[in-house]
Amino acid sequence: LLQLVESGGGSAQAGGSLRLSCVLSGYTYSSYCMNWFRQAPGKEREGVASIYTGGGNTDYADSVKGRFTISQDNAKNTVYLQMNSLKPEDTAMYYCAAFNSFGYCSLGEYTRFGYWGQGTQVTVSS
């Protein structure tokens, strides 16, 4: 059973940077569709970045394109979300999530995702 553990959240000033990490363990499939989701109080859950671990294909929400980068380190079984030029509207709980995949990877569509981490809080002040 795949387990996901996030870390790296915290507080930053607007214009600053944070890097989130999601460590994968206990998995038995060779490839997954991974997403970073975020959810702010009173708002819907939003997929902000996706990566297909079998090929490295990535996609981003328009709200973070050009500022966030998703990447993977297979040797460390870790998926990262590098967040630059942070804005107060990036404040949210961030979750990594996954589903088994043999090629398809969606950005968002959270009902597809069967594996979730516990979340890490990101707070950006102006």
Side-chain angles (χ1 to χ4, degrees):
L1 189 65
L2 181 65
Q3 294 179 316
L4 306 175
V5 178
E6 304 102 331
S7 62
S11 298
Q13 296 280 338
S17 298
L18 288 171
R19 188 177 77 161
L20 306 183
S21 300
C22 175
V23 178
L24 289 69
S25 64
Y27 58 94
T28 58
Y29 290 91
S30 60
S31 57
Y32 292 88
C33 174
M34 302 289 302
N35 267 221
W36 283 98
F37 286 87
R38 67 185 180 187
Q39 189 165 23
K43 294 191 176 181
E44 291 189 357
R45 196 174 312 182
E46 175 189 20
V48 298
S50 69
I51 188 166
Y52 171 57
T53 65
N57 312 67
T58 60
D59 197 9
Y60 299 92
D62 288 342
S63 57
V64 306
K65 203 168 289 185
R67 300 188 299 120
F68 290 11
T69 302
I70 189 170
S71 63
Q72 60 181 11
D73 184 333
N74 292 333
K76 295 183 178 181
N77 299 326
T78 302
V79 172
Y80 301 100
L81 186 68
Q82 177 67 44
M83 305 185 295
N84 298 330
S85 302
L86 284 164
K87 303 176 181 180
E89 51 264 44
D90 294 320
T91 296
M93 185 71 79
Y94 283 72
Y95 301 88
C96 65
F99 64 83
N100 306 334
S101 176
F102 296 100
Y104 176 74
C105 191
S106 64
L107 176 63
E109 303 178 40
Y110 69 87
T111 57
R112 291 183 176 272
F113 291 80
Y115 304 105
W116 291 83
Q118 81 285 357
T120 186
Q121 178 68 37
V122 171
T123 303
V124 183
S125 57
S126 57

